[in-house]
Amino acid sequence: MNNLYILLMLMAGAGLAVQIVVNAQLRVVAASAFWAANIVFAVSLAAGLAVLAVAAVFARVPLPSPALWRAPWWVWLGGLAGAVYVLLAILLARRLGAALLSATGILGQLGASILIDHYGWFATPVHRVSAARAIGVVLLAIGVVLIRWR
């Protein structure tokens, strides 16, 4: 089953590469990175609501738990981080190109993920940094340099 999950995430990653260039073109057409970002968020909201509606038709979808409102403040940061990423990707896609933008974004994700796993931040299970994991980060950093070098 893990192989299926890996395949799904590979497909999602490929979709992000497409999203980068599509959103950059939306910026050109809209003549504004801020308008483009908000259009992207509006389409995302509409898609999310459509998925929720379909799920509600075919399965019981409970309302969010009241505990949501008592959750730690940082649970809301995912949306903020996503918004910053989308805006920066729209602003930088033409300057960096899709490959360098993706590679640097992935390097940032991996670096932060290694720290989060190692220290168990945000109530996650601890997965200590190993030599193999550290080498993976270094190799990805080398990949970013090679992509930048052209």
Side-chain angles (χ1 to χ4, degrees):
M1 192 56 115
N2 279 346
N3 289 339
L4 174 60
Y5 299 153
I6 290 169
L7 178 61
L8 289 172
M9 285 310 299
L10 282 171
M11 291 170 36
L16 285 179
V18 172
Q19 180 186 10
I20 288 167
V21 296
V22 168
N23 289 353
Q25 187 59 34
L26 179 60
R27 174 191 181 190
V28 171
V29 174
S32 166
F34 299 109
W35 275 108
N38 279 283
I39 291 166
V40 168
F41 302 141
V43 170
S44 295
L45 176 62
L49 291 173
V51 168
L52 182 62
V54 169
V57 168
F58 292 104
R60 184 173 175 272
V61 179
L63 293 174
S65 167
L68 175 65
W69 306 112
R70 295 185 304 277
W73 62 270
W74 48 263
V75 301
W76 301 98
L77 292 182
L80 179 60
V84 170
Y85 177 87
V86 167
L87 181 60
L88 285 176
I90 289 170
L91 288 169
L92 301 176
R94 288 190 175 274
R95 288 187 176 104
L96 298 179
L100 183 57
L101 189 143
S102 295
T104 54
I106 292 167
L107 180 58
Q109 289 174 31
L110 184 60
S113 296
I114 289 287
L115 290 173
I116 291 167
D117 278 354
H118 183 76
Y119 292 108
W121 292 339
F122 306 107
T124 60
V126 172
H127 299 277
R128 296 284 178 212
V129 174
S130 65
R133 285 176 160 226
I135 290 169
V137 174
V138 170
L139 289 174
L140 186 54
I142 291 169
V144 169
V145 170
L146 291 174
I147 291 169
R148 170 68 173 99
W149 189 14
R150 297 181 206 178

